[in-house]
Each structure stands twice: as C-alpha cells, then as structure tokens.
Amino acid sequence: MNFINDYKSVTMGRVGRLGYFLSYIPYLVLTSVNPYKEMQLIIAIIFLCVILVIGVKRCHDLGHSGWWQLIPLYFIWMLLAPGEKVDNQYGPRLDE
C-alpha cells in the first residue's frame, strides 16, 4: 500500500461547521469524565489525529489547504465562517 495515496483518500472532501464542531464533543466528554490520567493522554492522542483530519476537511470547505489549521486561533474562524457556496478543488459544495 502507498501511504500517500491512503492519506489523500482520508483527507479529501469537505466538512461543514456543524461536523467540525461536533468532532470536539466526544473528546471533551471523554477527557472530562475519565478519572484515569493515563487514559486521558491516550484519548487525547487519538482524538488529536481525528480532529486534525476533520480540520483538513473543514479547511477544504473554506477553500484552503489543510495546513491553514496550524495558524494560531484559526480554529475559531473554522467554527464561525461559512464554507464556499460553490464546488471547489476539494469537492462539491455542502448543503448546510
């Protein structure tokens, strides 16, 4: 298997504001109710990977490269800004 092609297939497409927001809910719930500190680190690492992939798709919905999510506080823009209303290079428009 080619790792690059596998990664591209996971990160292609677009995610809207609601999907991006909802991706944080399981992380917040699991880390706040879990009494075991060792498990919180494992949960955080797993959800960090998931949130990064969903963040790439949210950047795609805004018409930007996934690297934009590394800009400090850009996640606020990702939560608030509407996606592009037309098809872009990352996929067809979303109906939110």
Side-chain angles (χ1 to χ4, degrees):
M1 288 193 171
N2 188 346
F3 175 74
I4 303 236
N5 287 334
D6 291 344
Y7 177 75
K8 284 182 181 179
S9 67
V10 169
T11 58
M12 286 306 296
R14 296 164 66 168
V15 169
R17 288 181 285 194
L18 180 62
Y20 181 69
F21 172 74
L22 292 176
S23 68
Y24 282 93
I25 303 277
Y27 168 74
L28 294 173
V29 168
L30 287 174
T31 56
S32 65
V33 299
N34 186 359
Y36 303 107
K37 298 297 180 194
E38 299 82 17
M39 288 298 292
Q40 284 185 349
L41 178 61
I42 294 169
I43 291 169
I45 291 170
I46 291 169
F47 275 99
L48 177 65
C49 295
V50 171
I51 288 171
L52 285 175
V53 168
I54 293 173
V56 168
K57 291 183 176 203
R58 179 65 184 132
C59 287
H60 289 174
D61 189 43
L62 296 170
H64 300 135
S65 165
W67 290 104
W68 280 57
Q69 70 179 319
L70 299 179
I71 298 172
L73 301 179
Y74 187 70
F75 73 94
I76 295 171
W77 180 253
M78 291 169 53
L79 285 170
L80 300 176
E84 289 188 334
K85 300 287 186 213
V86 296
D87 296 351
N88 64 21
Q89 66 186 9
Y90 302 107
R93 73 179 182 91
L94 298 175
D95 295 323
E96 275 192 324

